[in-house]
Amino acid sequence: MSTTGATPDPLAALGSLPGVPESVESVRKAVDRVYGHRIMRRRSNEITSEAALRGARGSAALAGADWALEEVRRRTDFSGDDEARAVGAALRLTAEAGQLLSVWRQSPLRVLARLHLLAAAGSDPRVGRPRQDGEPVDEPLVELPLPDAAEVSGRLEGLSRLIIAGGSAPALVTAAVVHGELLALRPFGSHNGLVARAAERLVLVGSGLDPKAVCPAEVGHAELGAAAYAAALEGYASGTSEGVAAWIAHCAKAVGLGARESTAVCEALQRGAA
């Protein structure tokens, strides 16, 4: 889907697609339940930290490193093999995403470059810059046709303008479009999924929908499974109203499941404090 439409706020129309208002409302209620929990008033920092860990685990699982949560919690060395490096990359992205919020609102492309640098963590000159024609892309989960470099550049610029301008679209819709565009474009040679999910988190936090980052969508995406994730993305990339609405609904389910995860953490902490 191209985000360079002719209307001043091309994302706003997506909020009225069939089923999308219901998805937006369900997410708002799920997020409100977490923030209304009594534990959040006293121990929100613990919930945020735990959500970050679980979100990183979920994002890494979709990158092919489906580790148990306790293994992620226990490990300190993430340099051993491809799976370990994927988990380490997800943890780095989650740790730094919140520090990039102010830059994100002014220069999203700079932040995307920084996210890729964090994820790839290498000296390859291609790291941190959009790919050029002919350069390979390592993103096995996404099997969509690969846009050429000119299309990538144009759509990234359009996406950047939309983020900077803000607009009236619900935060869920904006987050889903940012996530979907980055996965459909795969602007970098690697780690596009990890970067796209980190960018979704930035939108949800920066919009004020989830300011304390306690509703990790990455948890939900992993729980819904790689096959459903890929199928929903294919619908988004089709550009049809039905496909885009289905992708937004998929992202809404993911945020809702992330909220449910943190509610369970709140309940466990409350039982422990009783």
Side-chain angles (χ1 to χ4, degrees):
M1 175 189 173
S2 173
T3 61
T4 56
T7 60
D9 185 5
L11 298 189
L14 300 182
S16 60
L17 289 175
V20 171
E22 294 81 2
S23 294
V24 169
E25 180 64 14
S26 71
V27 164
R28 187 190 63 78
K29 289 180 178 178
V31 173
D32 284 350
R33 280 194 292 273
V34 180
Y35 279 84
H37 199 285
R38 59 184 294 185
I39 287 293
M40 281 293 293
R41 293 195 292 272
R42 297 182 286 111
R43 303 175 69 175
S44 65
N45 288 343
E46 291 177 63
I47 307 302
T48 295
S49 295
E50 187 65 19
L53 184 73
R54 294 177 184 228
R57 193 216 73 82
S59 192
L62 287 172
D66 192 4
W67 288 13
L69 180 63
E70 290 310 313
E71 177 67 8
V72 179
R73 199 190 305 278
R74 181 188 67 82
R75 288 282 286 268
T76 56
D77 180 8
F78 297 97
S79 62
D81 54 26
D82 287 346
E83 286 196 6
R85 285 190 287 273
V87 174
L91 288 167
R92 290 191 298 275
L93 290 175
T94 303
E96 187 152 337
Q99 301 173 40
L100 298 171
L101 275 172
S102 61
V103 183
W104 173 258
R105 298 184 184 103
Q106 299 171 13
S107 184
L109 299 185
R110 279 181 57 199
V111 171
L112 292 175
R114 174 61 181 165
L115 292 174
H116 189 242
L117 281 166
L118 284 168
S123 57
D124 190 318
R126 294 173 295 179
V127 171
R129 67 154 173 81
R131 58 182 170 79
Q132 298 173 3
D133 285 334
E135 292 182 344
V137 174
D138 180 16
E139 202 67 46
L141 180 63
V142 182
E143 298 181 352
L144 298 170
L146 195 65
D148 63 27
E151 183 177 353
V152 169
S153 178
R155 286 171 64 174
L156 284 178
E157 287 293 340
L159 192 63
S160 177
R161 288 194 297 270
L162 286 171
I163 294 166
I164 293 169
S168 58
L172 171 69
V173 170
T174 303
V177 167
V178 168
H179 186 170
E181 278 290 284
L182 292 173
L183 270 181
L185 293 175
R186 283 147 291 161
F188 303 109
S190 63
H191 301 87
N192 291 286
L194 290 170
V195 169
R197 291 184 288 276
E200 180 185 45
R201 170 184 285 264
L202 276 168
V203 175
L204 294 171
V205 173
S207 67
L209 177 63
D210 181 21
K212 294 182 183 293
V214 296
C215 301
E218 305 96 324
V219 167
H221 287 304
E223 186 172 336
L224 290 167
Y229 187 67
L233 176 65
E234 186 174 347
Y236 174 84
S238 74
T240 65
S241 58
E242 295 84 0
V244 174
W247 170 252
I248 294 171
H250 185 87
C251 291
K253 290 178 185 176
V255 177
L257 289 169
R260 187 183 70 178
E261 184 92 350
S262 286
T263 299
V265 173
C266 287
E267 292 292 329
L269 288 174
Q270 182 169 282
R271 288 193 298 272

